């Protein structure tokens, strides 16, 4: 347990609505990541952050935005959710002596 | 991006050894990882290997790395029913973000 929580853990929403997922860490790690997990694809990086207000895109960033106004919180926003964004979303931090990534418990999002 | 491949399924009998294989593409990767995901849970780091090593052993787990063939394997000795899970290999890229590229995951089923 690397002190990572995600909220909500489950969410069902409708196409076209905005959705924000929250990742919270308690250990002041600089790097934070958002991934999505889909069958047949493993985990794919959406966005990452390397400090407060410092973010960059990952492999599948279209349709997503992120914000990091505090070290401990990294928010992922779907401005207008689509059914293709139905997925399980994982947050991760990078820590430890070997800069290993540790994952949160995930958020299951269903877009109807 | 990097391309990491794994077979999707593996079934073994309880007490036998399991070998999960992975191939990767980035020959400059410094770290390679194995994560375990149990149903409904996040990813748990199992072990990692640094690229200048060819083997790492940790209790029942043995990781073998063949850099020439870009092949990574995870051997689980005396496989137990609690080892049933999805196993992901991942390679770390060499940019400053240290992003991970995951395989599709191998679902290990242990038959009692």
């Amino acid at each position: 347990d690397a002190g990572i929580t995600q909220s909500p853990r489950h969410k069902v929403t409708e196409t076209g609505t905005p959705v924000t997922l929250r990742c919270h860490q308690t250990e002041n790690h600089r790097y934070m990541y958002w991934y999505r997990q889909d069958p047949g694809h493993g985990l794919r990086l959406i966005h990452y952050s390397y400090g407060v207000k410092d973010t960059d895109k990952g492999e599948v960033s279209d349709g997503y935005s992120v914000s990091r106004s505090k070290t401990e919180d990294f928010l992922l926003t779907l401005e207008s959710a689509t059914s293709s964004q139905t997925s399980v979303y994982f947050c991760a931090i990078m820590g430890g002596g070997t800069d290993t990534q540790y994952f949160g418990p995930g958020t299951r999002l269903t877009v109807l | 991006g990097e391309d990491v491949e794994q077979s999707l399924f593996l079934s073994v009998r309880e007490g036998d050894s399991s070998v999960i294989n992975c191939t990767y593409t980035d020959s400059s990767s410094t770290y390679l990882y194995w994560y375990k995901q149990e149903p409904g849970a996040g990813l748990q780091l199992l072990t990692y290997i640094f690229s200048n090593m060819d083997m790492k052993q940790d209790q029942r787990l043995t990781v073998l790395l063949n850099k020439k063939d870009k092949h990574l394997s995870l051997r689980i000795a005396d496989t137990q029913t609690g080892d049933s899970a999805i196993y992901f290999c991942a390679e770390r890229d060499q940019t400053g973000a240290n992003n991970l590229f995951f395989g599709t995951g191998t679902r290990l089923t242990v038959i009692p």
Side-chain angles (χ1 to χ4, degrees):
Chain A
D1 184 354
I4 308 168
T5 57
Q6 292 185 233
S7 58
R9 294 293 314 280
H10 301 270
K11 185 169 183 69
V12 180
T13 191
E14 293 188 347
T15 298
T17 60
V19 176
T20 295
L21 308 183
R22 178 181 184 239
C23 177
H24 179 79
Q25 57 136 333
T26 59
E27 299 181 1
N28 288 322
H29 294 289
R30 181 180 169 203
Y31 280 84
M32 299 182 75
Y33 306 81
W34 277 107
Y35 292 86
R36 60 178 289 175
Q37 182 181 19
D38 303 291
H41 288 283
L43 276 77
R44 292 178 292 174
L45 182 67
I46 304 171
H47 282 280
Y48 66 95
S49 169
Y50 48 97
V52 172
K53 293 187 169 48
D54 293 322
T55 65
D56 206 348
K57 295 179 180 180
E59 183 186 358
V60 290
S61 59
D62 287 349
Y64 301 95
S65 62
V66 289
S67 66
R68 191 160 177 210
S69 58
K70 298 185 290 184
T71 299
E72 58 265 36
D73 289 324
F74 191 31
L75 304 181
L76 176 70
T77 297
L78 292 66
E79 300 289 350
S80 178
T82 67
S83 58
S84 65
Q85 294 175 311
T86 292
S87 188
V88 181
Y89 291 85
F90 287 100
C91 173
I93 59 90
M94 185 169 70
T98 55
D99 290 338
T100 298
Q101 289 190 26
Y102 297 91
F103 287 80
T107 294
R108 183 174 294 275
L109 176 67
T110 302
V111 183
L112 301 175
Chain B
E2 283 77 348
D3 195 8
V4 181
E5 296 192 354
Q6 302 178 237
S7 53
L8 291 179
F9 302 101
L10 176 66
S11 291
V12 299
R13 294 210 171 271
E14 188 173 15
D16 288 349
S17 292
S18 308
V19 179
I20 303 171
N21 294 301
C22 172
T23 58
Y24 62 97
T25 56
D26 186 354
S27 59
S28 63
S29 291
T30 54
Y31 284 96
L32 295 134
Y33 302 86
W34 284 103
Y35 286 86
K36 175 184 180 183
Q37 185 181 35
E38 297 185 16
L43 276 71
Q44 170 195 354
L45 177 68
L46 277 182
T47 188
Y48 62 89
I49 188 165
F50 190 57
S51 60
N52 69 351
M53 302 166 67
D54 53 18
M55 187 181 88
K56 181 179 180 181
Q57 188 152 4
D58 184 1
Q59 299 184 334
R60 293 190 297 122
L61 305 179
T62 303
V63 179
L64 296 178
L65 175 60
N66 181 329
K67 284 194 70 177
K68 175 176 170 289
D69 295 336
K70 297 178 195 170
H71 183 265
L72 182 73
S73 68
L74 174 70
R75 178 177 180 269
I76 306 173
D78 186 25
T79 312
Q80 303 298 306
T81 55
D83 295 323
S84 291
I86 302 175
Y87 291 81
F88 292 93
C89 68
E91 62 172 339
R92 191 167 93 182
D93 78 6
Q94 300 311 295
T95 67
N98 292 312
N99 295 334
L100 292 182
F101 292 91
F102 285 84
T104 53
T106 299
R107 183 180 295 275
L108 172 65
T109 301
V110 182
I111 304 163

